[in-house]
Amino acid sequence: MSYPPDDEAWNSTHYDALAQRIETGGLALPTLSGAGTKLVFERMVSIDNIPLRVGLNKEIAITLRFQKLEPVLQPLHRLVTLYSNETHKGKPYATELARLMVYETKAAGTLLDISEPYLANLQKDKRYQYHVDNMKQIKSDARQIYIGLVQSMAETKLYSKSDMLKIIGGALAELPSYHPIFAEQDRADLNQRLAQQIAKTTDQELKTALTELRDAIEHRRIPT
């Protein structure tokens, strides 16, 4: 079992192959500290990989953007789960987990941004209801991804300050994509969770970052 190549752009099949080889083939999780896997991990979270590169490119047809991006979410979440499980067992993978969660949040947010225009193109499709149902599932999954990212901000014993700032910064940067899918109860729950964390936090830089995120969620602000 080997890792997908780190010197070429990945597509969803690369992510799927990596998750599969780790889950069933015993391949070790790529880490930033591993001389042989650092570049693999950097490739895994590269914005230049095909799903995000195509998904973010407004010059490309919306259908192709959706088709390239949507299949990567499932294997990407499997990888997040693998890193999370090992990190919570005490393995030193917190930095990798933080970066991968932020990357997943960006991928899911990008898919949300193109989901409505994509669906609008399919109104005459015989399988339109299937696409509508699929879109509901995509939004539900994305909502859980974002909530999970905010929940991780309470794990101060797990993440370093720099990791935590990456997580908070990622949540703030991708928030505009998630604003439309949050119910009022979601906002209330997220605000409460963040308020509790702000009260517990003694580091002023972290407190400021958390407060900015809470205010942006509460007041539906678009970060600049």
Side-chain angles (χ1 to χ4, degrees):
M1 290 288 180
S2 61
Y3 297 101
D6 58 50
D7 58 351
E8 64 182 56
W10 287 10
N11 57 37
S12 59
T13 59
H14 291 92
Y15 286 93
D16 189 61
L18 179 59
Q20 182 73 18
R21 290 168 193 174
I22 293 169
E23 288 166 344
T24 63
L27 196 63
L29 289 170
T31 64
L32 291 164
S33 60
T37 62
K38 183 180 187 296
L39 292 178
V40 176
F41 184 84
E42 294 288 3
R43 170 53 61 189
M44 189 179 3
V45 294
S46 172
I47 200 168
D48 291 327
N49 286 337
I50 292 165
L52 259 180
R53 191 176 73 215
V54 173
L56 288 165
N57 190 340
K58 295 180 181 179
E59 302 296 315
I60 295 175
I62 200 79
T63 299
L64 182 59
R65 292 168 67 191
F66 186 91
Q67 289 172 346
K68 289 294 183 183
L69 185 56
E70 195 264 347
V72 83
L73 266 294
Q74 198 261 355
L76 195 52
H77 191 67
R78 284 159 60 200
L79 288 164
V80 169
T81 301
L82 287 164
Y83 277 91
S84 179
N85 289 345
E86 292 303 305
T87 302
H88 286 90
K89 289 177 186 175
K91 298 285 182 65
Y93 299 156
T95 297
E96 289 86 350
L97 176 58
R99 289 187 60 184
L100 195 56
M101 287 192 302
V102 169
Y103 190 79
E104 180 189 32
T105 304
K106 184 174 188 64
T110 304
L111 193 63
L112 289 175
D113 290 341
I114 61 178
S115 62
E116 291 302 328
Y118 172 73
L119 194 60
N121 284 346
L122 299 172
Q123 289 181 351
K124 295 181 180 179
D125 193 300
K126 292 179 181 177
R127 302 174 70 220
Y128 181 68
Q129 189 56 49
Y130 162 80
H131 296 299
V132 170
D133 293 341
N134 186 46
M135 206 60 68
K136 287 179 182 176
Q137 188 61 52
I138 286 170
K139 290 179 179 180
S140 176
D141 291 345
R143 177 177 161 275
Q144 289 302 324
I145 287 168
Y146 197 93
I147 290 171
L149 191 68
V150 172
Q151 287 174 339
S152 71
M153 295 172 196
E155 298 189 272
T156 53
K157 292 182 179 179
L158 196 64
Y159 298 105
S160 67
K161 178 180 174 178
S162 61
D163 290 337
M164 192 65 78
L165 287 170
K166 278 194 185 76
I167 292 170
I168 300 167
L172 190 63
E174 303 310 320
L175 182 58
S177 302
Y178 291 84
H179 272 315
I181 68 168
F182 287 147
E184 287 305 313
Q185 190 60 51
D186 293 328
R187 290 184 196 281
D189 291 345
L190 289 168
N191 286 339
Q192 182 181 24
R193 190 175 292 274
L194 286 166
Q196 290 170 347
Q197 195 56 38
I198 291 164
K200 293 177 185 176
T201 301
T202 56
D203 184 282
Q204 194 55 50
E205 188 177 5
L206 286 172
K207 190 184 282 283
T208 299
L210 288 163
T211 301
E212 184 181 3
L213 177 60
R214 182 200 62 189
D215 291 349
I217 291 172
E218 182 178 3
H219 301 296
R220 297 176 174 80
R221 288 181 186 153
I222 304 297
T224 55

